[in-house]
Amino acid sequence: DRSIISSRGRHRQRALLLLSLILGLLGLAIAWRWSSLHEFLDPDKLIGLLRVSGVVQNPLVAIGAVIVASIIAVPLAVIIVAGALIFGPILGPAYVLSGAEIGAVISFVLGKYLGHDALRFLAGEKARKLSENLGRSGVVTVIIIRLIPAAPFAVANMIIGASHVRMRDFLVGTIIGMIPGVLAITLFVDQIVAVFRSPGWKSIVLTVAILIIILGGAYGLRRYLDKSKKPAAMGKDGEARGSVRANS
């Protein structure tokens, strides 16, 4: 009994720490957008800072900067834009994808360490079943989250880590799910930056149109993945029913 109580107390402490980190990252994400920190995300200022810091001369430093930025909730779109402007349409996406993948793994592992067992011990039956269902379709789940992000990148990584999604599925789903957005933003980077430099109505309308195309494509792919997931689930259910009948 004492060991169970002690285990619950330890898991509760980890869960509280994970919740504190998530709230802190949400606060950072809000600060990057709505506080004075937003000035650092201006493309010209950001590129100037990165050039002075030696990022341009050293690919490892560039990837390291992406890792740090992805962990501290810097908007992923800003990271992609900076990478494309500094390193071009080939190296930029390569550095961003590499750094973001490593940063995502760090946040995922942190979420797994702090939250996975806590979810198993402290959460209700519905939460556990939901987590298990996410784990069964791990790659597709992660791809969908990447295509239409409902939470900041770092926060989503920690929450996924606390679930039953396996590391392998997380790695594959993250890289596949990020590629369309990274390539789309890189392709239209000049138009996106034009909005920051001269926010006229023409550039704003163009940017909105680009966003609609990106989100529309992501939504269409998400619908396709959802449909492809249903036959697989029905097949598994059929196999399970068949095995039950055979045993009875």
Side-chain angles (χ1 to χ4, degrees), residues 5-247:
I5 293 172
S6 175
S7 179
R8 284 186 176 277
R10 184 171 66 254
H11 293 311
R12 188 172 287 109
Q13 288 177 350
R14 289 183 180 180
L16 288 172
L17 179 56
L18 178 61
L19 180 60
S20 300
L21 285 172
I22 289 173
L23 290 175
L25 287 171
L26 287 172
L28 261 178
I30 293 171
W32 284 119
R33 295 179 185 274
W34 304 109
S35 75
S36 57
L37 287 176
H38 184 72
E39 296 178 6
F40 292 99
L41 302 185
D42 177 87
D44 295 322
K45 290 183 179 179
L46 181 60
I47 291 170
L49 287 172
L50 292 174
R51 291 187 189 280
V52 170
S53 65
V55 167
V56 180
Q57 290 78 21
N58 193 329
L60 292 179
V61 175
I63 293 172
V66 175
I67 293 171
V68 174
S70 64
I71 291 175
I72 62 173
V74 174
L76 193 59
V78 174
I79 299 173
I80 299 168
V81 168
L85 289 175
I86 294 174
F87 299 104
I90 297 176
L91 291 179
Y95 293 160
V96 169
L97 288 171
S98 300
E101 182 85 349
I102 296 170
V105 168
I106 293 172
S107 298
F108 176 89
V109 170
L110 194 57
K112 184 73 72 179
Y113 173 74
L114 294 175
H116 183 68
D117 289 337
L119 179 70
R120 185 159 54 90
F121 274 86
L122 302 176
E125 187 66 23
K126 289 184 178 179
R128 283 199 296 271
K129 284 185 177 179
L130 175 61
S131 177
E132 290 170 0
N133 289 334
L134 292 176
R136 289 192 193 99
S137 55
V139 173
V140 175
T141 297
V142 177
I143 290 174
I144 290 172
I145 291 172
R146 297 302 180 217
L147 288 173
I148 305 180
F153 188 70
V155 173
N157 295 331
M158 286 191 178
I159 293 174
I160 297 170
S163 74
H164 283 73
V165 175
R166 294 174 297 178
M167 172 69 81
R168 181 189 64 189
D169 293 344
F170 178 77
L171 289 171
V172 174
T174 293
I175 197 70
I176 294 175
M178 283 183 60
I179 286 173
V182 170
L183 294 181
I185 292 175
T186 300
L187 181 63
F188 296 108
V189 68
D190 291 333
Q191 289 81 2
I192 294 171
V193 172
V195 175
F196 286 91
R197 290 176 176 164
S198 55
W201 68 269
K202 289 184 179 179
S203 58
I204 292 174
V205 169
L206 181 60
T207 301
V208 171
I210 292 168
L211 288 174
I212 291 173
I213 293 171
I214 294 173
L215 291 176
Y219 179 75
L221 184 55
R222 176 177 178 172
R223 289 289 301 273
Y224 172 78
L225 291 171
D226 284 340
K227 287 181 180 179
S228 65
K229 201 164 54 168
K230 288 178 182 178
M234 291 174 64
K236 288 180 181 178
D237 290 342
E239 290 176 5
R241 290 194 194 99
S243 63
V244 169
R245 288 171 184 167
N247 293 331

